[in-house]
Amino acid sequence: MGAIEDVYDDLDADVPFEEFEAAVEQKVEDMGGLADEETAAMLIAHELRDEEVNSVADIEPGMDDVKFLAKVMTVGEVRTFERDGEDEDGHVLNVEVADESGRITISLWDQVAVDAKENLQAGDVLRIMGRPKEGYSGLEVAVDKVEPDPDAEVDVEAVEQYRVEDLTMGASDVDLLGVILDTDTVRTFDRDDGTEGKVSNMTVGDETGRVRVTMWDEMADRVEELAAGTTVEVVDGYVRERDGDLELHVGSRGAIEEVDEDVEYVPETTDIDDLELEDVVDIAGGVIETSEKRTFDRDDGSQGQVRNVRIKDDTGEIRVALWGDKADRDIDLADRVVFTDVEVQDGWQDDLEASAGWRSSVTVLEDAAGGTADDAAGASGRDAGQGGLDSFESTGSSADSSSESTAAATAEADGDEATGADASDDGGVVEFTGTVVQAGDPVVLDDGTETRSVETSANLRLGEEVTVRGVERDGTIDADDVF
């Protein structure tokens, strides 16, 4: 066996020997006799090892050429563009491919792109050689050479219409059908180049789960035209990760279209009685108490807001703090509401409470029997949370008013927490619960209806909700306890 054969056998590469031998001979010729066949063979083997990757997951930015086997998931549309200084237009086609380890986008150019659009379809297996680079929607491979391999097998299922459970990091050209669970407002930000950008979010769900959808720039305004309960198709989205969760992003190449289809989302909620401190969970129940929205100043000078509601299910009840834009949600007594991704925290009088922040979604449901929240308002607020939280497809209407008997029953059951103050028997010691709206000396708390000055050595933060207990003199509480 010759030197070339020895090196080839050690290489164990997916390259025919004839191609390897021809590459060695070409290398010897290119080097002008400075390398013999064995040296040239070792150089070629080194280059091939650099190119071979075991899976899509092995592809990283900064690699030179890579070779891998993958199955076509989706085929995008050919986009035409003008090249500087050239008469002929250029063409590019993005194709999402995958293997058992993950997904990645490959970009095909010019005539190859045009031919691929006509001939490629989901499920085709390709042998791909190209250069990894950062593209529009993340890491992609600019293809130098691609050819079908009908005899090869890749154990991954091709997806044309995604479900939430099908989403994986790096997926692009994603079309997903879902029902809107919640929407946020449009926010603006300054880019490094001095231009202003826009972003908005909504949460959509289907029978397999839910996902946060992030919309950028001109797509961000779309959120103002959509409402919870609407079925939409997200077109040409791409998947990113934020704080360990997958998000579906939509930019100028994508779209969000309302469709006349039924999509059912079934929330997997946790019983209130099973909640534990620091859990991040989904909960649902009937609203038995609401409070007014409170505003406060943050350390950076901006203003925040918070509103509390209390909900009840078959196992117990809990207060939910709605922060930011969620404090503006139209939630009334007897409404049935699902809260997702809420964090369980220490609350008033050592009770647990749930915090609904930027990651959370808030969805008001229709009555299980087909009625509205107004139909349920005549019942006791504490009975409103019983049953009927199995699934939802649209947002129900909120009650316009509630009976005085319901509010009285709620106040009687929960004591003076609604007002935040409770005078003890001696007439001098009081308790007051409120949000810190001034963290200096004195501390100022606001419960939505009144403010109290507090003398305390405790280190409190703006926006923090606390309860203080102590003697009140001249309108100021000298706090012995802060909790």
Side-chain angles (χ1 to χ4, degrees):
M1 184 178 292
I4 297 179
E5 290 86 344
D6 290 340
V7 175
Y8 178 79
D9 288 342
D10 291 339
L11 175 62
D12 191 26
D14 189 18
V15 176
F17 175 73
E18 292 76 12
E19 291 186 17
F20 180 79
E21 185 178 37
V24 170
E25 293 174 355
Q26 184 63 47
K27 177 68 73 174
V28 170
E29 181 179 343
D30 291 343
M31 297 187 69
L34 296 176
D36 57 19
E37 286 187 341
E38 182 177 10
T39 301
M42 293 175 67
L43 291 172
I44 295 297
H46 178 72
E47 293 173 2
L48 289 173
R49 288 192 185 99
D50 284 346
E51 292 174 347
E52 292 289 347
V53 293
N54 294 323
S55 66
V56 167
D58 295 327
I59 301 173
E60 297 178 354
M63 286 182 169
D64 294 329
D65 291 337
V66 295
K67 288 184 178 180
F68 61 102
L69 187 72
K71 180 181 288 187
V72 174
M73 296 288 103
T74 60
V75 180
E77 297 297 327
V78 175
R79 298 191 300 278
T80 302
F81 59 93
E82 295 181 359
R83 284 196 170 96
D84 294 337
E86 297 186 20
D87 295 333
E88 293 187 3
D89 290 337
H91 305 283
V92 62
L93 171 69
N94 286 337
V95 178
E96 187 185 15
V97 299
D99 64 11
E100 296 87 341
S101 72
R103 303 170 185 253
I104 196 167
T105 298
I106 62 173
S107 55
L108 310 176
W109 300 86
D110 299 328
Q111 191 59 44
V112 175
V114 176
D115 293 341
K117 179 60 180 177
E118 294 179 357
N119 298 302
L120 278 186
Q121 58 184 358
D124 289 346
V125 176
L126 305 176
R127 291 196 177 276
I128 303 160
M129 184 174 73
R131 293 163 287 109
K133 64 184 185 69
E134 288 295 332
Y136 171 80
S137 56
L139 183 64
E140 64 181 43
V141 174
V143 172
D144 295 322
K145 183 179 180 181
V146 61
E147 58 185 22
D149 190 339
D151 298 326
E153 293 186 3
V154 175
D155 188 16
V156 63
E157 183 179 355
V159 177
E160 294 186 7
Q161 180 73 61
Y162 281 80
R163 300 172 300 175
V164 171
E165 68 177 6
D166 298 324
L167 300 176
T168 58
M169 178 59 189
S172 60
D173 298 316
V174 172
D175 294 346
L176 182 140
L177 200 67
V179 58
I180 297 177
L181 309 180
D182 196 11
T183 60
D184 285 335
T185 56
V186 179
R187 303 181 301 280
T188 60
F189 59 93
D190 294 326
R191 294 190 175 91
D192 292 339
D193 62 4
T195 61
E196 184 178 75
K198 291 190 293 185
V199 63
S200 65
N201 298 97
M202 66 180 182
T203 303
V204 301
D206 63 17
E207 64 275 8
T208 70
R210 67 175 181 273
V211 66
R212 184 178 173 88
V213 179
T214 300
M215 296 156 283
W216 297 97
D217 296 326
E218 60 262 38
M219 283 301 303
D221 294 328
R222 190 76 174 94
V223 76
E224 297 179 344
E225 305 165 359
L226 301 169
T230 305
T231 300
V232 295
E233 182 178 20
V234 179
V235 180
D236 201 7
Y238 54 96
V239 180
R240 287 290 173 269
E241 184 176 326
R242 180 177 181 183
D243 293 339
D245 294 325
L246 295 181
E247 292 185 345
L248 184 57
H249 290 230
V250 186
S252 59
R253 295 196 334 217
I256 297 176
E257 301 171 352
E258 296 184 41
V259 294
D260 186 19
E261 295 190 40
D262 292 330
V263 176
E264 184 179 32
Y265 167 70
V266 181
E268 296 182 2
T269 58
T270 300
D271 288 343
I272 291 175
D273 189 50
D274 294 334
L275 299 179
E276 296 182 0
L277 190 64
E278 297 183 355
D279 280 349
V280 178
V281 294
D282 302 345
I283 57 176
V287 178
I288 61 174
E289 179 184 331
T290 65
S291 70
E292 296 296 323
K293 179 176 65 177
R294 303 193 302 273
T295 59
F296 55 90
D297 294 326
R298 298 189 180 95
D299 290 338
D300 62 3
S302 63
Q303 192 172 72
Q305 59 182 24
V306 63
R307 180 192 181 200
N308 293 326
V309 300
R310 183 178 289 274
I311 65 169
K312 177 181 174 66
D313 67 7
D314 292 335
T315 68
E317 60 187 64
I318 192 170
R319 184 167 62 178
V320 183
L322 307 175
W323 296 93
D325 294 335
K326 292 176 176 58
D328 294 322
R329 299 300 161 87
D330 187 12
I331 299 175
D332 292 313
L333 289 173
D335 281 350
R336 297 183 304 110
V337 189
V338 174
F339 302 91
T340 69
D341 290 324
V342 294
E343 182 178 358
V344 181
Q345 302 175 341
D346 276 325
W348 188 73
Q349 290 187 335
D350 295 328
D351 286 338
L352 297 179
E353 75 173 28
S355 178
W358 68 267
R359 292 176 54 186
S360 308
S361 64
V362 180
T363 307
V364 180
L365 308 181
E366 287 185 349
D367 184 69
T372 66
D374 288 319
D375 300 325
S380 168
R382 292 188 177 276
D383 295 332
Q386 305 298 321
L389 293 169
D390 296 329
S391 63
F392 61 89
E393 295 177 293
S394 61
T395 301
S397 60
S398 298
D400 295 327
S401 62
S402 59
S403 66
E404 293 181 4
S405 60
T406 301
T410 299
E412 181 180 356
D414 292 316
D416 291 329
E417 181 181 355
T419 64
D422 178 22
S424 65
D425 292 338
D426 65 10
V429 178
V430 298
E431 280 188 6
F432 187 84
T433 299
T435 300
V436 178
V437 296
Q438 176 177 302
D441 185 13
V443 171
V444 177
L445 302 183
D446 186 314
D447 73 347
T449 59
E450 60 179 321
T451 61
R452 295 287 185 90
S453 297
V454 180
E455 292 288 349
T456 176
S457 59
N459 185 17
L460 301 179
R461 302 185 307 274
L462 283 175
E464 184 178 6
E465 186 172 45
V466 297
T467 298
V468 298
R469 181 189 294 124
V471 177
E472 183 175 19
R473 299 184 180 90
D474 299 326
T476 298
I477 300 172
D478 187 2
D480 296 318
D481 298 303
V482 178
F483 49 92

